[in-house]
Amino acid sequence: MEEVNQTVVSEFILLGLCDAWELQAFLLLVFPLLYLITILGNNFTVLLIISDLHLHSPMYFLLANLSFIDFCLSSVITPKMITDFLKEHKTISFGGCMCQIFFGHFFGGSEMVLLVLMAYDRYVAICKPLHYSSIMNKQMCIWLVMTSWITGFVHSISQLAIIVKLPFCGPRELDSFFCDIPLVIKLACMDTYILEKLINADSGVLATTCFILLLISYTYILLTVCHQSKDGASKALSTCTAHITVVVLFFGPCIFIYLCPLGITWVDKFLAVFYAVITPLLNPAIYTLRNKEIKIAIKRL
């Protein structure tokens, strides 16, 4: 008998966020609005930073990249989720599923590294202010952003290389509203215990390393801020508070989804919605509402 060594499943069935039509109708009104705000907010931030010469600094260059990544990350999952609210039978092709996995981890991994680089930028600005211009020059900023994109790509392609080679021959139901590795790998027609550990290690190393580096950076920054003048400390603390808020909002769901899975379906779905929909929405609001220079730039329009 010929071995099953190729993918038989051509599409996966998504069970979605919920079963109740009334709740789906409500979410059909809410999520398009949230997605629209996410698109407008993040693109407005990028265009504002590009167009305003006063914002042409390393911190805002990194912030513009963060807003662009948030827009892309939200666009990987949200449009498909919204259109599925209109369908009784929700499906996604095998290729579409693999694309969601690749781009979700690509942009997610890139954002993790970028948040670390933003913390490094604040570390140099606060702890080594006299050397800031020489360290965070234009070439360094470009290299830092390229590092985040390359790391995200390597992380994503390594995950996809494992998943795409697996034999899928049924079942094909995913109790979620999008494709992600922890759910998809369980549908493979083979023992995936070792592969699950390998993939968790891949995601775990990246997320844990970034999170530890962020904790170290902001601890050192806050200790330094305590010894500065009152005005300088207040401004630095305000900026770092915005960054720390973003870090907590982004890494919190990631830790429970990939590092410490709870195994409770509705909790996993809630965390996935928060990670894919809410966080990209909140990031521009957190940075723009708490940043005086951004507010001044908006008034100059």
Side-chain angles (χ1 to χ4, degrees), residues 148-174:
S148 70
W149 286 101
I150 292 172
T151 304
F153 177 80
V154 172
H155 163 69
S156 182
I157 202 69
S158 65
Q159 301 274 53
L160 186 66
I162 296 174
I163 292 291
V164 76
K165 294 293 185 179
L166 294 178
F168 295 97
C169 50
R172 56 196 183 102
E173 286 188 347
L174 295 172

Side-chain angles (χ1 to χ4, degrees), residues 68-69 72-73 76 102-112 149 152 156 250 275:
F68 178 71
I69 290 177
C72 294
L73 182 61
V76 171
F102 173 77
F103 287 108
H105 283 266
F106 175 39
F107 295 123
S110 299
E111 181 158 342
M112 287 183 186
W149 286 101
S156 182
F250 185 78
Y275 169 79

